[in-house]
Amino acid sequence: MKTRPFLDAWCSVRGPLVLLVMAVAVIAGAVGAVVAVSLGGTASAAPPLAIVTAQGETTPVKSRGDAADDAAIWFNVAMPEQSRILGTDKRRGLEVYDLQGQRVQSLPIGRLNNVDLRQGVMVNGQARDLAVATNRDEESLALFEITPEGEVILLGAVPTGLEEIYGACLYRHGDELHAFVNAKDGRYMQYRLALGGEEPTIVPLRYFRLDSQPEGCVADDSRSRLFVGEEDVGVWVMDASPDAASTRELIIEARDPLKADIEGLALYDNRYLVISSQGNHRFALLEATPPYRLQGIFRIDEDESDGIGHVRETDGLAVSAHDFGPGFEEGLVVVQDGRNSPENQNFKYLGWSHIAAALELTEQE
């Protein structure tokens, strides 16, 4: 297995103590799953299905078939209307779009799957906007910087040691930037990104494992909380701190009103968790704090007046609460469209206000 040289090298440096920590992490993960099933809750009654439409869409990705996958939103602080959408083409690389959906940049660097970003990360005393994406060709993390003008620059790629790398998300832990990276067999690694040298590197911090295939995840930096999706099971929540136990709580299952696969996860202003339920083309919105109440279910149908098609079989999604200007004053939602027939797959844009109105959300303190 490709993981052995990586783990052997790590353990040879850290010694028997690391082996003990790894073993405890595995045991804790298994115990956590048992505890979580008994404690986790699912909404007792499903809310009615709300129907919304998209307000914009991107140029289709260049690859045919199942190609578009995940998205991340970069907010241009100086000129919000010049913000950018990063979207992965898992057969080709990274695509960059403007708010009108036009492709402004293309980076054909390999089969990128999931992408995430953080802005204002301090590196050597300078604030930088950084993104990562999982590269399935190299089993690596591709690292990017986004300039103030919105240009995406590849900084390098870092091997992870994982086999069949899949999903990833970023987490800001104090002044550190961490990445949670998973593999198809359920393994998760938490890394610290070391970006101050000539070449980016990663430092392994924690290991845990789900019982089946994961993909999407998202971190609430302010509360040190990690949400992870297990495609056929549901969504778990756990502590994101690197020294925390790996116990986790199941907050919603992959059953009615959802249906496997559970795919993309994103947060709106750390208030709401948005989940892509690929099996029935729906999206769930939960409170992002205990008891994680289900607030609504919506589907994105065709807007005949604007000619923007429906959204089906969504993989990844991204959400931002920033004011991007007309149509997106209360925030922006970007979702992958798994069909977009008869053209190649693409990404659809929705204003948060449309979703909030359809679900009759009320302001929270």
Side-chain angles (χ1 to χ4, degrees):
M1 293 177 63
K2 296 181 181 179
T3 54
R4 289 305 308 169
F6 166 77
L7 295 177
D8 289 344
W10 184 27
C11 293
S12 67
V13 174
R14 302 297 179 95
L17 177 60
V18 170
L19 293 176
L20 177 61
V21 171
M22 292 278 286
V24 170
V26 173
I27 295 171
V31 172
V34 173
V35 172
V37 169
S38 65
L39 294 180
T42 307
S44 57
L49 175 66
I51 302 298
V52 298
T53 57
Q55 285 73 62
E57 62 181 329
T58 68
T59 300
V61 298
K62 294 184 177 181
S63 301
R64 297 184 62 83
D66 185 18
D69 194 86
D70 195 24
I73 301 170
W74 176 77
F75 180 66
N76 189 323
V77 177
M79 294 184 291
E81 70 279 4
Q82 296 297 318
S83 297
R84 296 287 184 258
I85 309 302
L86 281 60
T88 59
D89 179 336
K90 60 189 174 188
R91 295 176 181 268
R92 186 175 185 274
L94 188 70
E95 304 297 311
V96 184
Y97 305 95
D98 61 21
L99 292 184
Q100 289 71 48
Q102 297 301 308
R103 182 185 293 109
V104 296
Q105 198 176 351
S106 183
L107 292 85
I109 64 170
R111 294 187 303 144
L112 301 188
N113 204 65
N114 281 25
V115 61
D116 198 10
L117 63 81
R118 287 293 185 275
Q119 298 187 225
V121 178
M122 296 306 296
V123 180
N124 294 336
Q126 293 185 331
R128 299 168 67 179
D129 296 348
L130 302 169
V132 302
T134 49
N135 188 326
R136 296 167 69 179
D137 285 333
E138 302 175 352
E139 313 287 14
S140 66
L141 273 183
L143 281 79
F144 305 89
E145 181 168 8
I146 306 157
T147 70
E149 295 74 32
E151 181 183 3
V152 179
I153 300 171
L154 178 66
L155 298 178
V158 183
T160 63
L162 290 171
E163 190 174 74
E164 290 193 292
I165 192 172
Y166 210 42
C169 58
L170 290 174
Y171 161 59
R172 203 190 301 248
H173 184 68
D175 293 332
E176 299 176 351
L177 185 62
H178 294 186
F180 288 94
V181 185
N182 62 55
K184 282 191 173 184
D185 65 359
R187 284 172 296 164
Y188 255 96
M189 288 295 300
Q190 181 174 359
Y191 303 101
R192 177 174 61 83
L193 303 183
L195 304 167
E198 292 184 3
E199 297 288 338
T201 60
I202 56 176
V203 179
L205 301 173
R206 181 166 62 147
Y207 166 86
F208 59 91
R209 189 168 190 157
L210 303 182
D211 293 332
S212 60
Q213 182 169 313
E215 184 173 6
C217 63
V218 65
D220 179 345
D221 298 345
S222 63
R223 301 185 181 99
S224 295
R225 190 172 286 155
L226 176 68
F227 298 92
V228 297
E230 190 172 359
E231 291 191 349
D232 292 334
V233 177
V235 178
W236 302 87
V237 64
M238 60 190 295
D239 196 322
S241 300
D243 55 353
S246 295
T247 51
R248 55 191 184 270
E249 176 187 356
L250 187 64
I251 60 173
I252 190 166
E253 296 181 88
R255 62 178 185 178
D256 190 55
L258 307 185
K259 185 178 180 180
D261 292 347
I262 300 301
E263 292 284 344
L265 306 179
L267 288 168
Y268 176 80
D269 198 28
N270 295 335
R271 290 166 49 193
Y272 297 111
L273 173 68
V274 186
I275 303 168
S276 165
S277 174
Q278 189 180 64
N280 57 4
H281 321 297
R282 300 181 182 186
F283 301 85
L285 191 142
L286 278 67
E287 293 176 348
T289 54
Y292 308 107
R293 285 184 291 259
L294 180 63
Q295 295 296 299
I297 301 287
F298 66 94
R299 189 179 69 213
I300 306 169
D301 281 358
E302 181 178 4
D303 186 338
E304 295 182 358
S305 63
D306 288 343
I308 299 176
H310 59 218
V311 172
R312 298 293 185 264
E313 299 178 359
T314 291
D315 279 315
L317 56 86
V319 180
S320 174
H322 288 296
D323 179 355
F324 292 85
F328 307 119
E329 294 91 343
E330 295 181 29
L332 172 65
V333 179
V334 179
V335 300
Q336 182 261 9
D337 184 357
R339 292 189 183 172
N340 197 44
S341 180
E343 299 184 87
N344 291 346
Q345 295 177 343
N346 72 348
F347 300 89
K348 299 290 198 292
Y349 298 172
L350 294 90
W352 179 264
S353 59
H354 293 264
I355 296 171
L359 299 183
E360 299 181 349
L361 300 178
T362 57
E363 287 294 323
Q364 295 181 339
E365 293 295 330

